[in-house]
């Protein structure tokens, strides 16, 4: 990790203080995890991205937010993007006198689509952008995993594509899996949410050895199916470790998953649920666009890329940032040096 000049003055604590007027725009993908047999290991970035802007202001925290969950989310330093950015800035040896956050949330919360992971990775990546630091994916992953508590979704957001996260001798590491170019995803997104903690609380302490062995075999098969034989995805996504135990918390999702599998689709619960993810050749998944499932919306997706910094701005240039929403084309105008919107 190399830290370049951050464009600020040294504070009394020895940390460099960022100058008001600096800003950064980042983009992060929605993600899915588990993919059936790969519980707490496999992650997948989706071709569904959110843009986030973070700017240094003179003092305090100002949040301009719209879209999914905007009415319920905090508008102070406890906001997950701000909290994650503060972790990143502190580790990089810089601090901001105040921060402005601008975002339009498109990833629904509590649906198993990585909304919290997207927020965490966005905050950390924005911190690196403000500090003008060249950080590694491992730096992002380490901090993101510490905040989130499990690595699969954050790993997919950091690295993009299909990832296998594991605990190595030096901590959490990621292997990037190959993906056949024909593979895509379909998402059935319910109107209701489910807290990850509630879903995890339904899992047993132990499982039968025969089921663990069967599950490990399907997880290995899934790596192969994703890379070169998509026709094996149906068999490869069979799970014994988590979906059955969580069924009581999301009966409609499990019923839909079973219905789709009955039609021959490789349907699984996305992450901790309650969204349903279907993997397959994009040409085969197109028919699901018009499939009716009461209480669910349908979205087709390609495979997504890693989180990225779209642009930085430093004092001396224009004093606002414009972020185009990737879905609606709406824009958010960033703050002046005092934090007041223009």
């Amino acid at each position: 990790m190399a830290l370049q000049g951050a464009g600020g003055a040294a504070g009394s604590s020895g940390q460099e203080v960022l100058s008001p007027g600096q800003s950064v725009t980042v983009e992060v993908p929605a993600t899915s995890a588990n993919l059936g047999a790969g519980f707490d290991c496999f992650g997948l970035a989706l071709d569904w991205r959110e843009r986030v802007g973070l700017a240094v202001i003179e003092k305090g925290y100002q949040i301009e937010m719209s879209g999914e969950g905007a009415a319920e989310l905090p508008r102070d330093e406890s906001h997950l993007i701000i909290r994650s950015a503060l972790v990143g800035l502190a580790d990089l040896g810089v601090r901001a006198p105040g921060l402005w956050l601008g975002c339009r949330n498109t990833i629904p919360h509590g649906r198993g689509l990585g909304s919290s992971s997207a927020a965490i990775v966005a905050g950390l990546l924005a911190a690196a952008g403000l500090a003008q630091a060249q950080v590694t994916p491992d730096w992002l992953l380490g901090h993101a995993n510490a905040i989130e508590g499990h690595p699969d979704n954050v790993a997919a957001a950091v690295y993009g594509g299909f990832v296998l996260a594991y605990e190595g001798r030096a901590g959490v590491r990621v292997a990037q899996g190959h993906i056949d170019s024909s593979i895509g995803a379909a998402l059935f997104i319910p109107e209701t949410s489910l807290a990850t903690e509630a879903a995890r609380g339904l899992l047993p302490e132990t499982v039968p050895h025969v089921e663990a062995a069967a599950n490990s075999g399907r997880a290995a098969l899934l790596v192969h199916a994703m890379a070169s034989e998509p026709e094996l995805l149906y068999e490869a996504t069979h799970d014994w470790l988590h979906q059955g135990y969580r069924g009581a918390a999301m009966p409609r999702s499990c019923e839909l998953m079973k219905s789709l599998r009955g039609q021959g689709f490789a349907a699984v619960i996305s992450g901790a649920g309650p969204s349903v993810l279907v993997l397959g050749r994009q040409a085969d998944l197109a028919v699901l666009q018009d499939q009716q499932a009461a209480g669910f919306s349908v979205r087709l997706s390609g495979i997504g890329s890693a989180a990225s910094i779209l642009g930085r701005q430093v004092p001396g240039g224009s004093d606002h940032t414009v972020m185009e929403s990737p879905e609606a084309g709406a824009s958010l105008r960033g703050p002046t040096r005092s934090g007041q919107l223009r």
Side-chain angles (χ1 to χ4, degrees):
M1 177 178 65
L3 180 60
Q4 302 168 340
S12 58
S13 65
Q15 288 183 316
E16 187 161 8
V17 181
L18 297 174
S19 301
Q22 296 183 74
S23 64
V24 63
T25 302
V26 302
E27 197 172 64
V28 289
T31 56
S32 183
N34 301 332
L35 313 186
F39 178 62
D40 270 6
C41 173
F42 293 170
L44 185 71
L46 302 169
D47 189 19
W48 176 357
R49 300 176 75 77
E50 283 191 351
R51 290 187 182 182
V52 172
L54 199 64
V56 181
I57 57 177
E58 291 179 352
K59 63 179 180 178
Y61 300 96
Q62 297 190 2
I63 298 176
E64 298 292 323
M65 176 172 49
S66 63
E68 294 282 348
E72 293 80 35
L73 294 173
R75 294 177 181 269
D76 56 21
E77 66 271 28
S78 66
H79 189 289
L80 190 53
I81 295 177
I82 295 287
R83 185 153 52 92
S84 302
L86 293 175
V87 169
L89 290 172
D91 188 68
L92 295 170
V94 298
R95 67 179 181 88
L99 288 171
W100 172 89
L101 167 66
C103 55
R104 179 179 179 274
N105 304 329
T106 66
I107 305 171
H109 297 175
R111 305 299 202 285
L113 297 171
S115 61
S116 62
S117 293
I120 291 166
V121 173
L124 290 167
L125 190 59
L130 289 177
Q132 299 181 49
Q134 297 176 350
V135 298
T136 66
D138 283 348
W139 181 88
L140 287 169
L141 177 65
H143 284 296
N145 180 57
I147 297 170
E148 178 76 324
H150 54 94
D152 39 14
N153 286 96
V154 293
V158 169
Y159 288 86
F162 171 45
V163 298
L164 295 78
Y166 63 98
E167 187 76 30
R169 287 176 294 178
V172 175
R173 291 291 182 265
V174 167
Q176 291 187 270
H178 295 290
I179 306 177
D180 186 283
S181 61
S182 69
I183 290 178
L187 300 162
F188 287 80
I189 306 165
E191 299 168 350
T192 56
S193 63
L194 176 66
T196 299
E197 294 79 8
R200 283 188 172 272
L202 297 172
L203 300 178
E205 290 291 329
T206 60
V207 297
H209 184 274
V210 65
E211 293 183 358
N215 207 88
S216 63
R218 297 305 172 96
L221 181 62
L222 182 54
V223 174
H224 172 76
M226 290 288 285
S228 59
E229 288 195 73
E231 61 270 21
L232 295 178
L233 284 169
Y234 177 85
E235 296 292 347
T237 50
H238 195 93
D239 157 72
W240 286 267
L241 293 186
H242 64 103
Q243 294 179 150
Y245 296 106
R246 291 168 163 173
M250 52 186 113
R252 295 176 64 188
S253 296
C254 287
E255 181 181 344
L256 175 59
M257 179 187 71
K258 291 175 183 177
S259 173
L260 290 165
R261 291 189 72 85
Q263 300 171 52
F265 290 104
V268 299
I269 298 298
S270 180
S275 293
V276 175
L277 169 76
V278 185
L279 296 171
R281 288 190 171 93
Q282 295 183 62
D284 297 334
L285 298 179
V287 298
L288 295 178
Q289 180 71 67
D290 300 320
Q291 180 145 337
Q292 300 297 315
F296 292 81
S297 61
V298 183
R299 181 181 182 122
L300 299 183
S301 174
I303 306 303
S305 56
S308 60
I309 294 177
L310 297 183
R312 299 184 182 93
Q313 198 163 17
V314 296
S318 175
D319 64 353
H320 66 269
T321 304
V322 174
M323 302 185 304
E324 294 296 333
S325 164
E327 296 233 324
S331 63
L332 294 172
R333 189 170 295 277
T336 62
R337 290 171 63 89
S338 65
Q340 298 301 310
L341 293 180
R342 289 194 153 192

Coordinates of all heavy atoms in Angstrom, one line a residue, residues 14 39 43 45 51 57 59 62-63 89 94 122 127 132 143 166 169 177 189 202 206 214 228 233 278 280 315 342:
G14 N -0.8 14.2 14.5 CA 0.2 13.7 13.5 C -0.5 13.2 12.3 O 0.2 12.9 11.3
F39 N -21.5 -22.5 1.0 CA -21.9 -21.7 2.2 C -20.7 -21.0 2.8 O -19.7 -21.6 3.1 CB -22.6 -22.6 3.2 CG -23.0 -21.9 4.5 CD1 -23.9 -20.9 4.4 CD2 -22.4 -22.3 5.7 CE1 -24.3 -20.2 5.6 CE2 -22.8 -21.6 6.9 CZ -23.7 -20.6 6.8
G43 N -18.9 -16.3 -3.6 CA -19.5 -15.0 -3.8 C -19.6 -14.7 -5.3 O -18.7 -15.2 -6.0
A45 N -20.3 -11.4 -8.0 CA -20.7 -10.0 -8.3 C -21.7 -9.9 -9.4 O -21.6 -10.7 -10.4 CB -19.4 -9.2 -8.7
R51 N -23.6 4.0 -7.4 CA -22.6 5.0 -7.3 C -22.7 5.8 -6.0 O -23.9 6.1 -5.5 CB -22.7 6.0 -8.5 CG -22.3 5.4 -9.8 CD -22.2 6.4 -10.9 NE -21.9 5.8 -12.1 CZ -21.7 6.4 -13.3 NH1 -21.9 7.7 -13.3 NH2 -21.4 5.8 -14.4
I57 N -15.9 18.1 4.0 CA -16.5 19.4 4.3 C -15.8 20.0 5.6 O -15.0 19.3 6.2 CB -18.0 19.4 4.4 CG1 -18.4 18.4 5.5 CG2 -18.6 19.0 3.1 CD1 -19.9 18.3 5.8
K59 N -16.9 20.7 8.6 CA -17.2 20.0 9.9 C -18.5 19.2 9.8 O -19.4 19.5 8.9 CB -17.3 21.0 11.0 CG -18.4 22.0 10.9 CD -18.5 23.0 12.1 CE -19.6 24.0 11.9 NZ -19.7 24.9 13.1
Q62 N -22.9 15.3 6.7 CA -24.2 15.6 5.9 C -24.4 14.5 4.9 O -23.5 14.1 4.2 CB -24.0 16.9 5.2 CG -23.9 18.1 6.2 CD -24.0 19.4 5.5 OE1 -24.3 19.5 4.3 NE2 -23.8 20.5 6.2
I63 N -25.6 14.0 4.9 CA -26.0 12.9 4.0 C -27.1 13.2 3.2 O -28.2 13.6 3.7 CB -26.3 11.6 4.9 CG1 -25.0 11.2 5.7 CG2 -26.7 10.5 4.0 CD1 -25.2 10.1 6.6
L89 N -9.9 5.8 6.6 CA -9.1 7.0 6.7 C -8.1 6.9 7.9 O -7.0 7.3 7.8 CB -10.0 8.2 6.9 CG -10.8 8.7 5.7 CD1 -11.8 9.7 6.0 CD2 -9.9 9.1 4.5
V94 N -4.9 9.5 7.9 CA -5.5 10.8 7.6 C -6.9 10.9 8.2 O -7.5 9.9 8.6 CB -5.7 11.1 6.0 CG1 -4.3 11.0 5.4 CG2 -6.6 10.0 5.4
A122 N -17.8 0.5 -0.5 CA -17.9 1.9 -1.0 C -17.2 2.8 -0.1 O -16.4 3.7 -0.5 CB -19.3 2.3 -1.3
A127 N -12.6 6.2 1.0 CA -11.5 6.7 1.9 C -10.2 6.7 1.2 O -9.4 7.6 1.3 CB -11.5 5.8 3.2
Q132 N -5.9 9.7 -1.5 CA -5.0 9.5 -2.7 C -4.0 8.3 -2.4 O -2.8 8.5 -2.7 CB -4.3 10.8 -3.0 CG -5.3 11.9 -3.4 CD -4.6 13.2 -3.8 OE1 -3.6 13.1 -4.6 NE2 -5.0 14.3 -3.2
H143 N -10.3 -5.1 5.8 CA -11.1 -4.2 6.6 C -12.6 -4.5 6.4 O -13.4 -4.4 7.3 CB -10.8 -2.7 6.2 CG -9.5 -2.2 6.7 ND1 -9.3 -2.0 8.1 CD2 -8.4 -1.8 6.1 CE1 -8.1 -1.6 8.3 NE2 -7.5 -1.4 7.1
Y166 N -11.7 -17.8 1.7 CA -11.3 -18.8 2.7 C -10.3 -18.2 3.7 O -9.7 -17.2 3.5 CB -10.6 -20.0 2.0 CG -9.3 -19.7 1.3 CD1 -8.1 -19.9 2.0 CD2 -9.3 -19.1 0.1 CE1 -6.9 -19.5 1.4 CE2 -8.1 -18.8 -0.6 CZ -6.9 -19.0 0.1 OH -5.7 -18.6 -0.5
R169 N -3.5 -19.0 6.3 CA -2.5 -18.8 7.4 C -2.4 -17.3 7.7 O -2.0 -17.0 8.8 CB -1.2 -19.5 7.0 CG -1.2 -21.0 7.1 CD 0.1 -21.5 6.6 NE 0.4 -21.3 5.2 CZ 1.5 -21.6 4.5 NH1 2.4 -22.3 5.2 NH2 1.6 -21.3 3.2
G177 N -12.5 -17.5 -9.3 CA -12.9 -18.6 -10.1 C -13.2 -18.2 -11.6 O -13.5 -17.0 -11.8
I189 N -36.8 -11.1 -6.5 CA -36.6 -10.2 -5.3 C -37.9 -10.0 -4.6 O -38.9 -9.4 -5.2 CB -36.0 -8.9 -5.7 CG1 -34.7 -9.1 -6.5 CG2 -35.7 -8.0 -4.5 CD1 -34.2 -7.9 -7.3
L202 N -30.9 -19.7 12.7 CA -31.7 -20.9 12.4 C -30.8 -22.1 12.1 O -31.2 -23.2 12.0 CB -32.7 -20.7 11.3 CG -33.8 -19.7 11.5 CD1 -34.5 -19.4 10.3 CD2 -34.7 -20.1 12.6
T206 N -24.2 -28.5 14.4 CA -23.6 -29.6 13.7 C -24.5 -30.1 12.6 O -25.7 -29.9 12.7 CB -23.2 -30.7 14.6 OG1 -24.4 -31.2 15.3 CG2 -22.2 -30.2 15.7
A214 N -21.5 -34.8 1.1 CA -22.3 -34.6 -0.1 C -22.2 -33.1 -0.5 O -22.0 -32.8 -1.7 CB -23.7 -35.0 0.0
S228 N -16.8 -24.1 -16.9 CA -16.8 -24.7 -18.3 C -18.0 -25.6 -18.6 O -18.1 -25.9 -19.8 CB -15.5 -25.6 -18.5 OG -15.5 -26.6 -17.5
L233 N -24.9 -26.9 -13.7 CA -25.2 -26.0 -12.6 C -26.4 -26.5 -11.7 O -26.4 -26.3 -10.5 CB -25.5 -24.6 -13.1 CG -24.3 -23.8 -13.6 CD1 -24.8 -22.5 -14.4 CD2 -23.5 -23.4 -12.4
V278 N -31.0 -17.5 -9.7 CA -31.0 -18.6 -10.6 C -29.8 -18.4 -11.5 O -29.6 -17.4 -12.1 CB -32.3 -18.6 -11.5 CG1 -32.3 -19.9 -12.4 CG2 -33.5 -18.6 -10.6
G280 N -27.4 -19.8 -14.8 CA -27.6 -20.6 -16.0 C -27.1 -19.8 -17.2 O -26.5 -18.7 -17.0
P315 N -9.2 20.4 -4.2 CA -9.4 21.8 -4.2 C -8.6 22.6 -5.3 O -7.5 22.2 -5.7 CB -8.8 22.2 -2.8 CG -8.9 21.0 -2.0 CD -8.7 19.9 -2.9
R342 N -25.4 23.3 -3.4 CA -25.7 24.3 -4.3 C -27.0 24.1 -5.1 O -27.3 22.9 -5.3 CB -24.5 24.4 -5.3 CG -23.3 25.0 -4.7 CD -22.3 25.4 -5.7 NE -21.4 26.5 -5.2 CZ -20.6 27.2 -6.0 NH1 -20.6 27.0 -7.3 NH2 -19.9 28.1 -5.4

